[in-house]
Amino acid sequence: MADRVFDEAITTQRLLEQDWVPSRFDLRDAWQSVAHARDIGEYPIRRQIHDEPCYLWRIKGKLHASHRAPRTPLLPYPGAQSEDALGSYPVLERYGYVWVWYGNPNHAHASLVPDVPFLPPAGGLPAYMLGTVRFDCCSPLLIENLLDLTHADFLHAGVLGDAHSDEDRIEVQYTSETVTMIRNCVHKSVAPIMRWFGGVRAKYQDVRAVIHVHVRSSVALAYGRYSPGIDLKLFHPCVPESQHRCRLNFALDARCAPFPLRYLMPMTPYVVGPQDNVMVGPQSSRYAQPSQRRDLFSRFDGAGARYRFLMQQIARRQAAGDFAYAPDAHPGRDVRALLGMPV
């Protein structure tokens, strides 16, 4: 089923009128991008998915993932439901990341890894284009922040430009498991980092920015086309470590950017990440608890409202024993056209 434009006024109104009662959405049968592949060697490192430990290491280059450290006794782990009888998680390597299957091991298949068309399938981005930022909130709250592309005008204006534009159009598309926000701006203020270090001398840019989210895997693909300027390609895997912590192992492909922007652009997550954390961190405890306050939205929050709705739908299906992906939402489908990449 093709992506549908989120323009049904009645459905939107019903979504916005519903109160959001947050809970711990432990969505299963999904690949989680838990680490940069370059960080995994023979010495095991510990990661976490929904409060469950996940140890990663290599033996003669082969990846291993388990809820227990190697060479420790095989003991039952209370609540663990994603590993096999030996305590191992299905694991694979793609796009320079280690992906761990969180869910029924019998349902794991490599074709269900989300498509990230702007990253090399075998990895190999320069090390300075990869990094990690940690957030004091659950991954759904961070995803909601990412889905609001307009927040950058106010929180990150010093890097990405302010809210000035002659025209600003928002479009939201979705499937049963993905949400995409597309923003088209005409004559938007030039991003300061491109003016200072990217050789852009114009006062304004036309901008097409896209954020594409896989709800079950908690990964977001960001693609921005700046004219004049460059294309920004950023991968945000928001690893759900716990109810109040998530890890963002980002990749920012700046290989086509001019010097010195090629080296400075991958440093921006270390600037905008703490700015985001200042906002989402204090919200985390309130986000995780029911509230008597009515959850209200404006029409600009369509992507966030759809994201919450899809999370609830998937959680209900899984509670009823349905873990399958619908035909419209296969994670591995080609999203180049949706992102606005050359096909």
Side-chain angles (χ1 to χ4, degrees):
M1 186 185 303
D3 291 325
R4 295 162 292 182
V5 178
F6 189 28
D7 59 0
E8 304 99 332
I10 295 177
T11 302
T12 302
Q13 185 62 29
R14 287 175 179 171
L15 281 172
L16 303 188
E17 288 177 351
Q18 292 176 352
D19 284 340
W20 172 250
V21 181
S23 60
R24 183 164 173 249
F25 287 94
D26 191 354
L27 303 180
R28 296 181 173 272
D29 278 18
W31 289 105
Q32 296 286 342
S33 182
V34 297
H36 292 293
R38 62 169 187 167
D39 295 335
I40 311 303
E42 293 185 1
Y43 187 82
I45 66 170
R46 188 184 190 276
R47 292 291 184 264
Q48 192 165 286
I49 307 173
H50 290 303
D51 288 322
E52 292 188 17
C54 178
Y55 291 90
L56 304 167
W57 71 97
R58 298 181 190 269
I59 298 179
K60 296 182 178 179
K62 183 180 178 181
L63 275 171
H64 293 267
S66 174
H67 80 255
R68 64 191 182 94
R71 297 179 296 278
T72 57
L74 181 58
L75 299 173
Y77 181 77
Q81 305 174 41
S82 302
E83 72 281 351
D84 61 20
L86 298 177
S88 298
Y89 296 96
V91 63
L92 57 79
E93 188 172 340
R94 189 174 296 178
Y95 305 121
Y97 285 86
V98 172
W99 299 77
V100 170
W101 180 260
Y102 184 74
N104 187 332
N106 297 324
H107 297 166
H109 196 280
S111 68
L112 296 175
V113 173
D115 179 46
V116 189
F118 50 76
L119 293 184
L125 279 185
Y128 66 87
M129 296 184 185
L130 309 174
T132 299
V133 182
R134 296 173 178 83
F135 292 88
D136 301 313
C137 68
C138 59
S139 62
L141 181 53
L142 181 58
I143 290 287
E144 285 199 40
N145 179 70
L146 294 172
L147 274 170
D148 177 15
L149 289 172
T150 63
H151 87 277
D153 298 346
F154 307 97
L155 196 56
H156 314 311
V159 176
L160 300 175
D162 59 33
H164 174 86
S165 65
D166 290 350
E167 181 180 330
D168 193 342
R169 293 182 289 111
I170 299 294
E171 176 187 348
V172 180
Q173 299 185 16
Y174 63 92
T175 68
S176 61
E177 300 238 3
T178 65
V179 184
T180 307
M181 182 176 184
I182 303 170
R183 185 185 187 193
N184 285 284
C185 298
V186 176
H187 288 173
K188 190 179 188 301
S189 297
V190 168
I193 193 170
M194 294 186 191
R195 183 173 65 249
W196 298 333
F197 306 109
V200 177
R201 297 293 176 251
K203 188 176 181 180
Y204 302 109
Q205 297 171 308
D206 292 340
V207 180
R208 184 183 189 273
V210 181
I211 187 80
H212 177 63
V213 169
H214 291 264
V215 176
R216 208 185 294 201
S217 292
S218 292
V219 301
L221 287 67
Y223 195 94
R225 173 154 291 173
Y226 294 78
S227 303
I230 63 171
D231 287 4
L232 290 182
K233 296 164 278 188
L234 183 57
F235 182 50
H236 302 82
C238 304
V239 183
E241 292 190 326
S242 69
Q243 195 171 4
H244 297 294
R245 293 283 291 177
C246 65
R247 173 188 292 264
L248 177 61
N249 299 310
F250 69 84
L252 197 159
D253 185 357
R255 289 175 295 175
C256 294
F259 177 85
L261 192 62
R262 183 184 313 122
Y263 297 95
L264 294 174
M265 206 70 210
M267 298 175 64
T268 58
Y270 295 113
V271 177
V272 302
Q275 291 173 342
D276 283 322
N277 197 45
V278 167
M279 301 301 295
V280 298
Q283 299 179 50
S284 186
S285 59
R286 297 192 298 271
Y287 186 86
Q289 299 295 330
S291 172
Q292 298 301 316
R293 294 180 60 186
R294 192 169 184 79
D295 193 25
L296 300 177
F297 295 84
S298 77
R299 63 189 179 91
F300 298 105
D301 297 315
R306 176 56 59 174
Y307 173 70
R308 294 182 175 196
F309 179 72
L310 291 181
M311 288 195 72
Q312 291 172 318
Q313 280 197 324
I314 297 169
R316 291 190 191 104
R317 291 205 311 267
Q318 294 195 351
D322 179 8
F323 293 87
Y325 288 86
D328 73 327
H330 195 284
R333 71 190 183 103
D334 189 341
V335 295
R336 287 176 296 174
L338 180 64
L339 296 176
M341 294 178 60
V343 179

